[in-house]
Amino acid sequence: MKTILITGGAGFIGSHVVRYFVNKYPNDTIYNLDALTYAGNLENLKDVEKAANYTFLKANICDADTIFSLFKKYRFDKVIHLAAESHVDRSITDPLEFLKTNVLGTVNLLNAAKFTWKNNFSNKLFYHISTDEVYGTLGKTGLFTETTSYNPNSPYSASKASSDHFVRAYGETYGLPYIISNCSNNYGPNQFPEKLIPLFIHNILKNKALPVYGDGNYTRDWLYVLDHAMAIDTVFLHGKISETYNIGGFNEWKNIDLVKLLCKLMDVKLGKVEGASESLITFVKDRPGHDLRYAIDATKISKELGWKPSVTFEEGLFKTIDWYLKNTTWLEHVTSGAYQKYYEKQYKE
Ligand code: NAD
Ligand code: TYD
């Protein structure tokens, strides 16, 4: 029986990881620690909130005293750390918030783990969830591998890179058993509508403009969120201590092509005439420091641990669109209040 702490479990990826673990490991105890920022939403976990092996802890990873006392009280054996500020555009507006949560917050967790485990690291694990954005940008060719040098370009990716370095440093310096995985862009149910795919689904539903940054010729590698959750489980079970694993969908799309495909699928789903959603595309001012291309080489996790994505992009997009169409109340809840202010500020001319 293990005691597993998942941080950021009320967010997009975290909620899928929590659900997956709660259902798959009935004999383990799963703690979900989350501050419930604008991105955290317990509605994401309604179906598991009463499970006997699940407990929610409302706490901020920046609050060292609280984090220490929770480690002392619950004696977590394994940590899967997802809590973070995660949106590049917000990091451009407010870098300090990203430094606090992503760097200080991570170091607080590392200190609490190190202190509580008191150098008795057998069967302990600090598994840090990170992003491919730490590698910076690719040109038109090439792929990120686990040995690509870090070269972050946004305050978000700089803060994640820094947190990765701290995790590795605690491994080298104190012997803390860690694993890091760096994943490409996720999409799927429960993603906050500030990221490209849910924002555009939301705007199509509201008949609002689809703001494509620059010329739209930026490339991302997309992975369905449940495939990421399953990759995390695979690394958690079989990953080697002190190793890094890149996780990706082998699925590169230029933004403009992705947006056009999404528009087509939405027209079909909504019974609109072909081209109706595409007519909402508006090219807007580019994101400063916009990375041209991300693409992951996921050979290591695939060869060494046997993981590969289970759904195609079309299947994943269909499931995603279906979920947003069925969960309009969720969408209304998360887009009320503070979100309106963010949207007006981010997309003003
Ligand atoms: P998200 O923004 O949807 O969720 C983040 C969660 O962390 C929220 O529930 C929020 O309440 C919580 N949180 C934020 N600050 C906190 C704090 N100070 N204390 C406690 N909880 C706090 O993010 P996501 O997209 O689910 O990403 C989860 C993790 O995966 C992040 O570490 C992110 O860097 C990484 N990642 C994301 C992607 C992606 O495409 N979304 C890709 C690769 C890696
Ligand atoms: P995003 O979902 O913010 O993820 P990331 O920046 O972490 O890759 O953006 C994905 C791509 O879509 C990125 O190239 C920026 C672009 N984009 C737009 O063109 N318009 C938008 O309104 C948003 C949010 C993103």
Side-chain angles (χ1 to χ4, degrees):
M1 270 177 58
K2 293 185 289 290
T3 306
I4 304 169
L5 170 67
I6 300 176
T7 72
F12 165 49
I13 302 171
S15 60
H16 288 274
V17 175
V18 166
R19 176 178 303 102
Y20 194 79
F21 274 64
V22 166
N23 290 330
K24 187 169 173 199
Y25 300 109
N27 296 325
D28 292 338
T29 314
I30 316 293
Y31 291 94
N32 167 17
L33 184 158
D34 199 295
L36 300 181
T37 68
Y38 79 93
N41 184 351
L42 288 176
E43 274 184 58
N44 294 345
L45 288 165
K46 275 236 159 307
D47 54 328
V48 293
E49 69 186 6
K50 296 206 168 71
N53 62 337
Y54 171 73
T55 304
F56 175 68
L57 305 170
K58 185 170 186 310
N60 193 317
I61 57 170
C62 298
D63 177 354
D65 291 345
T66 303
I67 296 302
F68 265 70
S69 63
L70 290 173
F71 267 77
K72 210 169 150 199
K73 181 166 178 194
Y74 295 108
R75 317 300 305 180
F76 311 118
D77 306 307
K78 315 262 180 190
V79 177
I80 306 178
H81 175 36
L82 295 106
E85 287 293 336
S86 68
H87 188 40
V88 173
D89 292 326
R90 287 183 192 257
S91 81
I92 294 168
T93 315
D94 190 1
L96 203 53
E97 210 44 51
F98 283 67
L99 185 152
K100 283 188 209 149
T101 294
N102 298 358
V103 186
L104 284 179
T106 300
V107 174
N108 281 337
L109 288 166
L110 289 165
N111 279 339
K114 172 175 157 282
F115 182 81
T116 315
W117 295 341
K118 290 198 173 48
N119 297 324
N120 180 4
F121 292 139
S122 72
N123 293 318
K124 302 291 192 287
L125 175 66
F126 193 100
Y127 177 12
H128 180 59
I129 307 302
S130 193
T131 165
D132 61 355
E133 304 192 26
V134 298
Y135 298 122
T137 187
L138 291 163
K140 290 208 167 103
T141 58
L143 299 170
F144 296 133
T145 72
E146 287 79 359
T147 55
T148 303
S149 350
Y150 276 32
N151 195 17
N153 291 317
S154 72
Y156 164 63
S157 53
S159 67
K160 290 297 289 188
S162 174
S163 66
D164 293 11
H165 290 320
F166 270 104
V167 172
R168 199 167 286 121
Y170 272 61
E172 289 297 319
T173 308
Y174 308 112
L176 192 91
Y178 77 89
I179 301 178
I180 299 172
S181 57
N182 297 81
C183 188
S184 61
N185 285 56
N186 285 216
Y187 70 98
N190 306 93
Q191 188 169 29
F192 193 81
E194 62 184 354
K195 309 273 168 60
L196 182 72
I197 291 176
L199 175 72
F200 280 30
I201 293 174
H202 175 250
N203 283 13
I204 291 170
L205 289 174
K206 297 273 174 198
N207 215 28
K208 279 173 76 172
L210 305 177
V212 173
Y213 294 160
D215 59 7
N217 283 319
Y218 295 90
T219 300
R220 298 291 182 264
D221 168 8
W222 294 92
L223 180 68
Y224 190 61
V225 64
L226 196 55
D227 277 328
H228 190 191
M230 292 195 277
I232 289 173
D233 179 46
T234 303
V235 171
F236 177 78
L237 287 180
H238 306 296
K240 286 200 201 109
I241 298 298
S242 312
E243 295 274 330
T244 286
Y245 296 90
N246 278 358
I247 303 170
F250 303 102
N251 179 39
E252 282 185 55
W253 283 81
K254 273 198 175 148
N255 291 344
I256 190 65
D257 296 336
L258 187 164
V259 168
K260 285 183 178 166
L261 171 63
L262 182 66
C263 287
K264 235 184 228 142
L265 297 178
M266 287 294 284
D267 285 346
V268 173
K269 287 277 179 195
L270 297 172
K272 286 188 173 179
V273 289
E274 207 183 320
S277 300
E278 219 179 286
S279 69
L280 296 170
I281 293 176
T282 315
F283 292 92
V284 300
K285 188 164 60 83
D286 211 347
R287 171 188 281 175
H290 199 163
D291 284 332
L292 178 69
R293 177 170 164 259
Y294 304 142
I296 281 275
D297 179 352
T299 308
K300 180 176 171 182
I301 185 171
S302 147
K303 279 215 168 124
E304 290 184 13
L305 307 184
W307 171 88
K308 59 176 176 24
S310 69
V311 296
T312 65
F313 193 44
E314 283 229 351
E315 284 165 354
L317 268 186
F318 260 116
K319 283 173 191 271
T320 305
I321 294 169
D322 273 345
W323 187 87
Y324 281 94
L325 294 183
K326 284 195 190 113
N327 289 275
T328 45
T329 316
W330 182 94
L331 206 48
E332 291 301 329
H333 285 177
V334 302
T335 53
S336 57
Y339 175 84
Q340 298 297 345
K341 285 200 193 97
Y342 163 79
Y343 195 87
E344 280 154 27
K345 202 167 153 210
Q346 175 63 22
Y347 295 99
K348 73 171 186 294
E349 275 309 305

